[in-house]
Amino acid sequence: MQTNPLDGLHDVIAPNQVDWWPLAPAWWVIIALLCIALLTGVYAIYKAYQFKKAKRYAVSLSQQEQYPQHLHIILKRLVVEYYGKHLATQPTKQWCETLNTLSGLTFTEKEILSLYSSENNNVDLSKKFRQAIKNFKVKEPLYV
C-alpha cells in the first residue's frame, strides 16, 4: 500500500497576533498631516485674535470715555489702524459716508461739526459713537 504524502506534513501553526506598533508609513503621513492642520488652525486663530486686538482695546476705552470728541478720536484711530490714514483725513462729508459704511449707523455733517463747538458734551452723540465703535467693521473691504 502506498503511503499518503500528506501524512508527512507537520501541523499548521497559527500566526501570532499582528502588533500595532511600529506604525506603517501611511499612518505616519496621516499623523504628520493632522499635526500640520492643527498647527495651521491654531496659528490662524491666533492671527485673527491679534488682528482684532485694536478693536477690543477701542471698545474698552470707549466704555471709560464720556466726551463725544474723545470717542470720535478713538473711532478715527480705529480707521487708521484697519484702513489707513487716508480715510481718517477725509473732508467731513466723505468722513460721514465712511463712518456710515463702517458702523452701520447714520452720521450727519452737523453731528461731526458739533464736536468742535464750545458745548460738545452731547450724551446722545456719545452713545452713538460708542455704538459705532462696537459695530466697527474690521474685515469688510471699503470702497469709499
Side-chain angles (χ1 to χ4, degrees):
M1 165 155 181
Q2 202 176 21
T3 63
N4 189 357
L6 295 177
D7 290 338
L9 294 177
H10 298 289
D11 289 338
V12 176
I13 301 174
N16 292 338
Q17 183 69 18
V18 178
D19 288 334
W20 64 275
W21 194 263
L23 295 176
W27 282 110
W28 286 109
V29 170
I30 291 171
I31 290 170
L33 290 175
L34 286 175
C35 288
I36 290 171
L38 179 68
L39 290 175
T40 304
V42 168
Y43 181 72
I45 290 170
Y46 173 75
K47 290 300 279 184
Y49 180 80
Q50 288 296 89
F51 181 73
K52 294 179 182 177
K53 189 177 189 179
K55 183 178 177 185
R56 285 192 308 274
Y57 183 65
V59 168
S60 69
L61 273 181
S62 71
Q63 300 302 321
Q64 300 167 3
E65 286 297 332
Q66 302 166 358
Y67 298 108
Q69 191 171 21
H70 294 164
L71 293 167
H72 183 246
I73 291 169
I74 292 171
L75 201 50
K76 278 205 177 223
R77 287 169 57 191
L78 270 177
V79 171
V80 169
E81 176 70 28
Y82 288 107
Y83 295 101
K85 196 172 189 173
H86 67 283
L87 285 180
T89 57
Q90 295 176 335
T92 307
K93 184 176 182 181
Q94 286 85 9
W95 174 242
C96 288
E97 292 172 6
T98 302
L99 283 181
N100 295 342
T101 304
L102 291 176
S103 67
L105 301 174
T106 305
F107 286 95
T108 62
E109 289 181 62
K110 183 180 175 186
E111 290 173 331
I112 301 299
L113 293 175
S114 72
L115 294 172
Y116 303 104
S117 67
S118 60
E119 185 184 317
N120 62 357
N121 194 9
N122 187 345
V123 176
D124 293 333
L125 193 55
S126 294
K127 288 180 183 177
K128 195 171 185 179
F129 276 125
R130 274 192 202 94
Q131 190 64 35
I133 291 170
K134 285 181 187 174
N135 294 349
F136 187 80
K137 297 175 186 172
V138 294
K139 282 253 183 183
E140 185 174 295
L142 186 66
Y143 304 106
V144 182

